[in-house]
């Protein structure tokens, strides 16, 4: 027999007056899904106010202003073309997830791809200067290592501070670092946890602790001009916290990267490297979310450093590494001479979870490039910090990172 309207109204009043505790059984717990079905968890979330549109408009306006004042003559033509292209962009159509809305000119954006050949060359010059040809001896060593892996025991074992397409260490040192990297790969290839059958079962934490972190440590160990501490502690980024709390009434937590690379200078810890990683199996949404999170972290990082000192433009950059599945991507965000952030996708490689010669060489190249970039970064940063002791930076601007709703 159908329920009467009066009965339905009575049941509605009773349910609305009950608390979560009223729905719980005497012994045990009811699931959250079940509680939602009962509509007992009808709790309103208090979202922070959204000022993103105003911030985007202000950022685009500031970007246009900066493009009117190039930092060097060589950038004049490039800046003019970029400003003209910006005139066709409606700020109201941009979101906080768009690099342009955050004043970042990224090398894979349509804005850069549509530049003329000479203008694009000028824009990409800092990226190209960070790339180096890998020595033949390192390439040969990779081939020999993979070839003999199953049959023998493998040994496991300046002041030029600018990027100029040259390595900052001797070939002997590059070979030594490559041996450490290959040692980590050898352990990985011998680990049954990462055999093809069980790879999908491994958590993100296992992937980071057993493979990603050892690879990064093998690359960045024994730097001659400042040790990089790689931390996986569940700690918020100070650079992100500073950005999120600029002008905030209530304190907000900063982002928590999966790994941070820290340089200690005096009583300061400076964040020079951020890493975001997935599990070995990565969804497209996770890949996209981490990509956005990473360039936002690097932008906060370079803005945080800018408030302390002024490293050389087009040279010093904050490094961001994304691991999506088995693909490792090396990115660098640096400010040009006009103070505009440029985001470069410097290199990418597949992480070989089993012996694979070409993937091994590509990964070694990426990790040696990372080491080279960090050597330059350390030198430039320490010099800038020393200069800032007597000449503190002026006209400090907050990070242009647009607020997210999260």
């Amino acid at each position: 027999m159908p329920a009467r309207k009066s009965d339905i109204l009575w049941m509605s009043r009773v349910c609305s007056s009950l608390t979560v505790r009223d729905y719980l059984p005497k012994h045990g717990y009811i699931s959250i899904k079940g509680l939602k079905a009962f509509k007992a968890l009808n709790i309103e979330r208090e979202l922070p106010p959204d000022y993103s549109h105003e911030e985007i408009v202000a950022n685009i306006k500031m970007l246009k202003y900066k493009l009117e004042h190039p930092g060097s003559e060589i950038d004049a033509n490039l800046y003019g073309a970029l400003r003209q292209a910006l005139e066709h962009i409606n700020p109201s159509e941009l979101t906080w997830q768009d690099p342009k809305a955050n004043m970042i000119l990224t090398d894979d954006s349509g804005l850069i791809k549509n530049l003329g050949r000479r203008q694009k060359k000028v824009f990409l010059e800092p990226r190209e200067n960070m790339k180096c040809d890998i020595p033949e001896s390192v390439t040969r060593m990779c081939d020999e290592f993979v070839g003999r892996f199953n049959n023998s025991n493998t040994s496991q074992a300046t002041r030029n501070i600018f990027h100029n397409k040259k390595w900052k260490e001797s070939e002997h040192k590059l070979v030594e670092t490559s041996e450490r990297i290959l040692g980590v790969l050898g352990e990985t290839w011998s680990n049954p946890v990462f055999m093809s059958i069980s790879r999908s079962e491994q958590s993100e934490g296992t992937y980071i602790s057993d493979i990603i972190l050892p690879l990064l440590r093998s690359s960045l160990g024994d730097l001659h001009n400042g040790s990089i501490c790689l931390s996986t502690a569940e700690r918020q980024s100070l650079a992100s916290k500073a950005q999120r709390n600029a002008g905030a009434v209530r304190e907000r937590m900063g982002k928590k990267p999966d790994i941070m690379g820290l340089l200690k200078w005096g009583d300061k810890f400076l964040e020079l490297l951020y890493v975001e990683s997935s599990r070995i199996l990565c969804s497209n949404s996770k890949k996209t979310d981490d990509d956005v999170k990473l360039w936002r972290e690097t932008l906060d990082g370079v803005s945080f450093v800018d408030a302390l000192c002024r490293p050389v433009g087009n040279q010093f950059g904050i490094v961001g590494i994304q691991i999506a599945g088995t693909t490792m991507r090396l990115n660098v965000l640096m400010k040009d001479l006009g103070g505009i952030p440029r985001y470069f996708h410097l290199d990418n490689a597949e992480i070989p979870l089993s012996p694979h010669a070409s993937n091994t060489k590509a990964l070694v190249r990426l990790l040696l490039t990372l080491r080279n970039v960090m050597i330059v970064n350390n030198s430039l940063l320490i010099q800038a910090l020393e200069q800032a002791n007597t000449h503190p930076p002026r006209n400090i601007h907050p990070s242009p990172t647009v607020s997210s709703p999260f």
Side-chain angles (χ1 to χ4, degrees), residues 296-341:
R296 288 170 66 83
E297 287 168 345
T298 56
L299 179 57
D300 288 342
V302 82
S303 300
F304 189 77
V305 169
D306 242 16
L308 299 174
C309 60
R310 294 294 165 84
V312 179
N314 280 341
Q315 290 286 332
F316 173 82
I318 300 296
V319 174
I321 296 177
Q322 181 180 6
I323 295 95
T326 57
T327 301
M328 180 180 288
R329 198 172 192 184
L330 175 61
N331 311 287
V332 179
L333 188 143
M334 59 174 59
K335 288 192 174 182
D336 65 17
L337 299 179
I340 297 177

Side-chain angles (χ1 to χ4, degrees), residues 49 66 71 161 190 197 202 218 227 230 267 294 319 337 383 406:
K66 285 179 174 288
I161 61 169
S190 302
I197 298 176
Q202 305 312 314
S218 67
S227 298
L230 294 173
D267 60 347
L294 198 59
V319 174
L337 299 179
Q383 288 181 34
F406 310 116

Side-chain angles (χ1 to χ4, degrees), residues 237-252:
S237 160
L238 296 179
S240 172
K241 181 181 178 181
Q243 186 275 328
R244 301 192 80 183
N245 287 286
V249 177
R250 290 188 301 177
E251 183 172 278
R252 300 178 67 189

Side-chain angles (χ1 to χ4, degrees), residues 167-181:
W167 299 103
K168 309 308 169 193
E169 296 177 307
S170 66
E171 187 168 327
H172 172 76
K173 191 65 177 179
L174 294 177
V175 170
E176 187 180 283
T177 302
S178 300
E179 286 180 344
R180 291 201 301 267
I181 296 170

Side-chain angles (χ1 to χ4, degrees), residues 43-76:
I43 303 171
E44 294 185 7
R45 289 179 57 193
E46 182 180 324
L47 295 176
D50 185 5
Y51 300 115
S52 62
H53 176 68
E54 291 82 354
E55 293 172 337
I56 291 171
V57 171
N59 276 352
I60 295 299
K61 184 178 179 181
M62 177 58 73
L63 181 57
K64 289 179 179 179
Y65 173 79
K66 285 179 174 288
L67 289 172
E68 290 178 343
H69 303 83
S72 65
E73 291 184 7
I74 197 170
D75 280 338

Side-chain angles (χ1 to χ4, degrees), residues 60 64 84-94 100 111:
I60 295 299
K64 289 179 179 179
Q84 187 175 2
L86 276 179
E87 295 297 337
H88 301 288
I89 293 176
N90 185 354
S92 64
E93 296 177 356
L94 301 177
K100 291 188 295 294
L111 201 65

